[in-house]
Amino acid sequence: MTSEWWRTAAIYQIYPRSFADANGDGMGDLAGITSRLGDLQELGIDAIWLSPFFTSPQRDAGYDVADYCDVDPRFGTLADFDVMLAEAHARGIRVIIDLVPNHSSDQHEWFQAALAAPAGSPERARYLFRDGRGPGGDEPPNNWDSVFGGPAWTRVIEPDGTPGQWYLHLFDSSQPDFDWTNEEVRAEFRRILRFWLDRGVDGFRVDVAHGMVKAEGLPDYTPPAEGGSMGGAGGLEAVDAAASASGSAAAAGATDPVGATTTAVLSPPDEAGVPLEPEIHDEGDGAPYWGQDGVHEIYRDWRALLDEYPGERILTAEAWVDPLPRIAKWVRPDEMHQAFNFAYLETPWDAAALRRVIDASLEAFGAVGAPSTWVLSNHDVVRHATRLSVTEANPQGHGLGPRSKGLPEYEPGLRRARAATALMLALPGSAYLYQGEELGLPEVIHLPDDARQDPTWFRTAGERYGRDGCRVPIPWEGTAPSYGFGPSDASWLPQPAEWASLARDAQRGIPGSTLTLYQDALRLRREHALGAGTLSWLPGFPESVVAFRNGSIVVVANTGPAPVELPAGDVLLASGPLDGRTLPHDTTAWLRA
Ligand code: NOJ
């Protein structure tokens, strides 16, 4: 019998470097994860997703994989992985791991073999090597930039000592892109999938799932200035574009600032009530490296492979595409199960915008029979306890630091984040949480320059801070060395002095703490089957309020400055103190009504 557990699951992202460190070397590890699974069970999540722990030189924190079928010694061994997996399963927690198929590490044996082999060799054909342009081939083969800044091409020194071909890397120069037109690459990834499925993993979060296939001829391309670094205009632009594309009521008055070229026309449900495939008229967003149609046959192939295994193993796409209806292509019935909803993540704390993105999400995912996902934080974005209150533009990937402007105070930022989480966890579909958000951790702004490790920081000569501020090892015990992250005081990024009061042990069982709020929300979400519910908007509230019913629960979120009268009903959850029956600003309440 299938449960389709993934349609409603609350999935907790573990960033292994920063979760728990069993051996005290300052870097989290698999044994550390095992030791803290009880805390996650207590939190009430359904599954964990682990960012990479594979053999890697860690030039991009493990998203540079040198051996896809082994554990990096920093994180432990395959035996440690098996123990962690078995222990998680024994606690009823499913385990999703990261798959990084767009690129490997330059230390991968295939890339080393490619460097040693001549131009035109089968070894080079696994990656995207090209001759340079201009006299002597001194110019890169095209004008593409790396997501992390600087050119997307690096020139190699040939084995005879002369400057030679160039290889493509959409990310760091230590992350060469595979050539997915090469059947050998496809076969290798089937092998990797089977390796982990045979070990018992419940699924894969697929890194850069919009990037593996590049347009033929690798044509020059200049991205729009306002685009996020991973592609996609993000946030409101994507929502407005989606709304105007779908012609929904929510689109009234919305503009189409990115000139979206996608429209979704829904065909009527079939006899069983299952929505048929929408006809998605997709001309792409123009980037010859994001969202090429060829990626979809790869996912169909993988889906068929996963379906051979018992136990509903899943694929989740990390695909930064917009407008929203485009993402539906990744989750058609024979492709992936889920895709991250980055349009939701990038939506500001604004009631009208939230209503639009929620409508657009339910419509886009629902059109192909997929659940919507919801997410506010991950290891690539500024933590939402800070981000939702930043008042200056801050494109994804740029990060925050001491020179940044428009930074919020902690308490007001946290208040808004708690309200945003309470809203998110009441939505139908599957929700992703990022380690530490249940403690109310803010982005760490004041990291010393010499502690920063994100390649973005180095590739932009410090112009962009990058993502280290959301990756600081999390606090478990307020008075222990490294706040209980590990047995020593070592921590690969320094932890702020003011984190003692945010440690898990300082919040456990404390009414009103952020940890208690998350626990309560997750429990009520499960008890009231909100993940499997249906949303209907409630009229009669001020414009700055998001109010809806999901089953027996009424949710009211006040994004505006003025207090709002709550409707009748027992309050089951509130993200902050209520004033009698009034809901203060930046607060969300759940009522049984
Ligand atoms: C997306 C990952 O989430 C990010 O951390 C990484 O740097 C890039 N993909 C490249 O793998």
Side-chain angles (χ1 to χ4, degrees):
M1 200 186 93
T2 60
S3 67
E4 302 206 315
W5 63 274
W6 42 276
R7 289 186 175 274
T8 59
I11 303 176
Y12 180 96
Q13 181 189 355
I14 291 182
Y15 194 65
R17 295 170 65 95
S18 305
F19 185 70
D21 172 20
N23 66 6
D25 65 356
M27 177 74 69
D29 45 41
L30 293 171
I33 296 172
T34 305
S35 74
R36 297 293 191 181
L37 287 171
D39 297 270
L40 297 185
Q41 190 178 12
E42 184 182 276
L43 179 61
I45 46 91
D46 301 298
I48 51 178
W49 145 40
L50 269 58
S51 283
F53 49 81
F54 317 105
T55 313
S56 161
Q58 301 288 311
R59 291 280 299 274
D60 183 24
Y63 283 94
D64 48 326
V65 181
D67 183 346
Y68 288 84
C69 296
D70 206 351
V71 172
D72 194 279
R74 294 172 184 85
F75 299 116
T77 62
L78 278 171
D80 292 334
F81 178 83
D82 292 340
V83 170
M84 189 276 303
L85 184 67
E87 179 73 13
H89 283 166
R91 292 178 182 277
I93 298 173
R94 300 188 197 245
V95 179
I96 296 167
I97 64 170
D98 226 298
L99 185 74
V100 189
N102 179 68
H103 47 265
S104 71
S105 159
D106 60 357
Q107 301 305 306
H108 191 287
E109 63 171 357
W110 275 12
F111 193 72
Q112 290 299 311
L115 290 179
S121 61
E123 288 84 354
R124 289 215 172 165
R126 296 160 173 160
Y127 294 91
L128 288 160
F129 280 86
R130 294 290 183 274
D131 293 334
R133 295 202 281 211
D138 289 347
E139 302 291 323
N142 70 22
N143 72 344
W144 296 358
D145 280 337
S146 149
V147 167
F148 294 154
W153 294 91
T154 291
R155 194 171 196 183
V156 301
I157 301 297
E158 300 293 353
D160 66 3
T162 58
Q165 286 195 299
W166 300 70
Y167 65 90
L168 178 72
H169 51 87
L170 288 183
F171 295 89
D172 188 53
S173 56
S174 64
Q175 295 167 294
D177 281 42
F178 285 116
D179 184 348
W180 273 89
T181 64
N182 186 334
E183 178 50 38
E184 215 187 334
V185 172
R186 293 178 186 238
E188 175 62 0
F189 273 87
R190 283 186 211 111
R191 183 184 77 83
I192 294 164
L193 287 168
R194 287 192 189 282
F195 177 86
W196 291 105
L197 290 166
D198 289 340
R199 285 201 113 79
V201 302
D202 297 287
F204 302 90
R205 172 266 191 194
V206 180
D207 190 64
V208 199
H210 58 320
M212 288 138 72
V213 172
K214 281 76 182 176
E216 213 175 315
L218 310 181
D220 279 349
Y221 175 70
T222 305
E226 74 274 15
S229 59
M230 292 283 285
L236 265 187
E237 287 89 342
V239 177
D240 289 341
S244 61
S246 68
S248 73
T255 56
D256 182 1
V258 291
T261 50
T262 302
T263 54
V265 181
L266 304 192
S267 33
D270 67 8
E271 281 169 16
V274 177
L276 300 175
E277 262 196 22
E279 300 161 33
I280 299 172
H281 305 299
D282 182 5
E283 294 159 31
D285 61 5
Y289 39 83
W290 298 142
Q292 298 296 303
D293 256 343
V295 295
H296 299 290
E297 72 184 58
I298 301 171
Y299 303 134
R300 290 199 184 96
D301 182 43
W302 291 2
R303 176 61 179 263
L305 189 157
L306 259 71
D307 284 349
E308 291 173 23
Y309 284 79
E312 296 186 83
R313 322 291 178 101
I314 71 162
L315 294 166
T316 297
E318 188 231 13
W320 295 76
V321 292
D322 68 73
L324 248 169
R326 268 189 97 200
I327 197 67
K329 297 181 83 175
W330 273 253
V331 289
R332 286 175 289 190
D334 59 348
E335 295 195 36
M336 299 202 174
H337 299 75
Q338 295 186 337
F340 291 141
N341 187 343
F342 291 124
Y344 185 73
L345 183 148
E346 298 203 313
T347 300
W349 181 240
D350 171 90
L354 286 162
R355 282 192 296 270
R356 289 210 299 282
V357 76
I358 292 167
D359 267 339
S361 303
L362 293 173
E363 185 172 328
F365 288 106
V368 285
S372 185
T373 62
W374 312 101
V375 58
L376 288 167
S377 280
N378 67 33
H379 66 293
D380 289 331
V381 301
V382 171
R383 281 186 178 276
H384 72 281
T386 305
R387 190 188 69 243
L388 292 175
S389 303
V390 170
T391 55
E392 298 275 327
N394 180 246
Q396 182 275 324
H398 287 214
L400 295 172
R403 283 181 277 112
S404 303
K405 299 204 167 48
L407 296 172
E409 295 294 319
Y410 174 64
E411 288 298 339
L414 176 65
R415 177 189 184 108
R416 187 170 280 188
R418 289 168 51 124
T421 298
L423 193 169
M424 178 180 89
L425 289 177
L427 294 170
S430 174
Y432 277 81
L433 304 172
Y434 175 50
Q435 67 178 38
E437 65 170 89
E438 76 279 22
L439 304 175
L441 298 188
E443 185 81 356
V444 179
I445 308 294
H446 293 285
L447 284 173
D449 287 358
D450 61 5
R452 292 190 184 273
Q453 301 202 12
D454 187 343
T456 307
W457 168 257
F458 299 104
R459 290 184 65 86
T460 62
E463 189 197 319
R464 297 186 204 163
Y465 288 105
R467 303 158 295 173
D468 291 316
C470 65
R471 298 175 173 181
V472 173
I474 64 173
W476 296 87
E477 290 140 25
T479 56
S482 69
Y483 300 126
F485 165 60
S488 72
D489 59 9
S491 165
W492 70 276
L493 283 172
Q495 299 166 297
E498 61 277 7
W499 272 14
S501 62
L502 299 180
R504 190 166 303 251
D505 70 343
Q507 299 197 42
R508 180 176 283 119
I510 305 291
S513 75
T514 303
L515 180 61
T516 300
L517 173 70
Y518 270 72
Q519 256 172 336
D520 289 349
L522 288 165
R523 177 177 47 77
L524 289 165
R525 184 177 188 278
R526 190 186 294 242
E527 279 171 19
H528 293 270
L530 298 182
T534 307
L535 174 143
S536 48
W537 297 115
L538 294 177
F541 287 88
E543 190 44 26
S544 57
V545 168
V546 180
F548 61 88
R549 173 181 287 284
N550 181 353
S552 53
I553 302 294
V554 163
V555 178
V556 187
N558 185 4
T559 72
V564 177
E565 218 31 49
L566 281 174
D570 295 340
V571 175
L572 298 185
L573 184 90
S575 68
L578 301 181
D579 188 6
R581 295 293 299 181
T582 52
L583 184 69
H585 69 94
D586 294 329
T587 307
T588 298
W590 296 8
L591 300 98
R592 194 203 317 264

